[in-house]
Amino acid sequence: MGFRVLGTGSALPARSVTNDDLSEFLDTSDEWISTRTGIHSRRICTTETLDDLALEASRQALDAAGVHADQLDLIVCSTTSGDHLMPAEACAVAELLGASCPAFDVSAACAGFVFALDVADGFIARGRASRILVVSAEKVSRLVDWTDRATCVLFGDGAAAAVIEAGGDNPLAIRLSTDPSVETLHVPGVPGSSPYDQTERPAQHLFMEGRRVFKFGVNAIVDAVTELCAEAHVAVTDVDHFVFHQANERILSSAVSRLGIDDARVARALAETGNISSACIPLALDRLVRAGELTSGQLVVLVGFGAGLDVGACLLRW
Ligand code: UT7
């Protein structure tokens, strides 16, 4: 048995930070950021907690689905930037929603939404759950070094969610993969204060080899789209929407030209959100749904990629 998506939701912090705002304290410019990334502004948490954003996105998805929190059998959250190292962000969402089902997090960085969806699908396939909330919530602003112009300009905060239900034939195809490399893109863990710890304690900031991730991302999208469509016996030209991880406009346009797909079918949200890690894909989905552009029966390919280096990709019939 597969699943169908009943409803989606999303939430962003109120504060929009433009490229010009960043150039007030960084050696950067709107011209560099816009042309190298396609990002013009990003939403950054000021008074909002990640719990607030995750809750708002989840409430919207439940409303759209017509499902009450007490009807949920499971909550899976994807995050690498939760408000608490423990318990899971999903536990905070459960508490705030008043849900009493099991709740836990999945950590797969920017590929997290598709990994979480696959975990949720596994619960449905084993008959352990029939209604599941999958929420991706990220406060990347707490992970980056705000003096490093090469990384902090790229990211933003936000959350997005989907409620899925047993039934339907999704996913038509799904692929998870890891090309293991911690060094390429990572955030060190909490150093702690153990008097016995003699290991190195690196700076508590996100580190990324941007060019390596760029090439990895383009290849990940091209390979995933080709393989998923072949596996499901679907022509790439029959896919109605492509929702790829929103890291860099140049990654999207390179993938579009290598695949030869219609650019108008490729979702874009990053210009005003930046890269919000695992929340990028469900946020773009929610926008398509609310704009009336993603409708029942259409085919949509999702491809997330990032730290790990993880890739999570799936083909869904909406
Ligand atoms: O979700 C996680 C996945 N992350 C990604 O997918 C990121 C993938 N990578 C990228 O999007 C791009 O590699 C970046 C946007 C991170 C960097 O773009 P790039 O075209 O690869 O630039 P670069 O790193 O090669 O740097 C080019 C120059 C350097 O100066 P020099 O050495 O040529 O003098 C950088 O110091 O641009 C400089 N630079 C900047 N200049 C102005 C780097 N960041 C900035 C900046 N403003 N913000």
Side-chain angles (χ1 to χ4, degrees):
M1 177 178 324
F3 68 84
R4 58 178 160 258
V5 181
L6 294 181
T8 59
S10 60
L12 292 169
R15 175 71 191 269
S16 172
V17 175
T18 66
N19 295 341
D20 284 335
D21 291 334
L22 295 177
S23 63
E24 285 174 16
F25 63 93
L26 281 171
D27 180 15
T28 190
S29 64
D30 177 48
E31 203 267 333
W32 192 96
I33 302 170
S34 297
T35 55
R36 295 288 185 119
T37 72
I39 298 166
H40 300 294
S41 60
R42 69 288 294 143
R43 300 291 194 90
I44 301 292
C45 288
T46 53
T47 56
E48 304 91 346
T49 65
L50 193 62
D51 291 352
D52 295 334
L53 298 181
L55 176 66
E56 172 58 22
S58 299
R59 277 198 177 130
Q60 285 184 18
L62 287 166
D63 284 351
V67 170
H68 194 267
D70 61 17
Q71 295 175 298
L72 290 171
D73 302 312
L74 182 70
I75 298 175
V76 186
C77 179
S78 80
T79 188
T80 52
S81 50
D83 280 340
H84 336 269
L85 262 186
M86 67 169 185
E89 188 63 39
C91 299
V93 171
E95 183 175 21
L96 293 164
L97 284 175
S100 53
C101 58
F104 62 90
D105 286 358
V106 164
S107 171
C110 302
F113 180 72
V114 179
F115 274 67
L117 212 50
D118 196 36
V119 168
D121 181 48
F123 273 76
I124 287 172
R126 288 182 291 126
R128 297 277 297 279
S130 57
R131 285 200 193 92
I132 303 177
L133 170 67
V134 179
V135 53
S136 297
E138 304 282 6
K139 189 169 172 180
V140 193
S141 63
R142 62 158 48 108
L143 304 180
V144 294
D145 175 356
W146 284 92
T147 66
D148 177 14
R149 67 179 184 172
T151 52
C152 74
V153 304
L154 306 172
F155 296 95
D157 303 329
V163 175
I164 66 169
E165 183 181 59
D169 52 1
N170 289 307
L172 302 184
I174 189 157
R175 283 185 178 236
L176 308 184
S177 66
T178 300
D179 182 2
S181 172
V182 173
E183 187 56 31
T184 304
L185 174 48
H186 66 272
V187 180
V190 174
S193 57
S194 165
Y196 302 103
D197 189 355
Q198 295 177 34
T199 63
E200 199 185 329
R201 297 182 191 198
Q204 297 295 291
H205 296 133
L206 181 146
F207 171 86
M208 177 172 72
E209 287 177 37
R211 286 187 183 186
R212 166 137 200 242
V213 182
F214 190 107
K215 285 182 199 150
F216 176 81
V218 177
N219 289 333
I221 293 172
V222 173
D223 292 349
V225 170
T226 310
E227 289 165 13
L228 290 172
C229 288
E231 187 183 327
H233 306 292
V234 164
V236 175
T237 46
D238 287 340
V239 175
D240 299 287
H241 299 279
F242 297 92
V243 181
F244 303 141
H245 178 47
Q246 307 283 302
N248 188 321
E249 173 52 38
R250 289 188 296 133
I251 293 178
L252 298 179
S253 50
S254 298
V256 166
S257 88
R258 275 181 53 190
L259 285 164
I261 55 179
D262 178 3
D263 191 62
R265 297 186 183 196
V266 178
R268 256 94 171 185
L270 87 166
E272 272 81 43
T273 64
N275 178 348
I276 41 177
S277 190
S278 71
C280 287
I281 287 176
L283 181 123
L285 280 174
D286 183 50
R287 290 192 168 179
L288 285 172
V289 170
R290 285 173 195 276
E293 292 173 30
L294 176 53
T295 53
S296 182
Q298 287 191 323
L299 293 172
V300 55
V301 168
L302 316 180
V303 186
F305 60 86
L309 300 172
D310 285 343
V311 180
C314 65
L315 173 65
L316 303 178
R317 186 179 302 284
W318 205 253

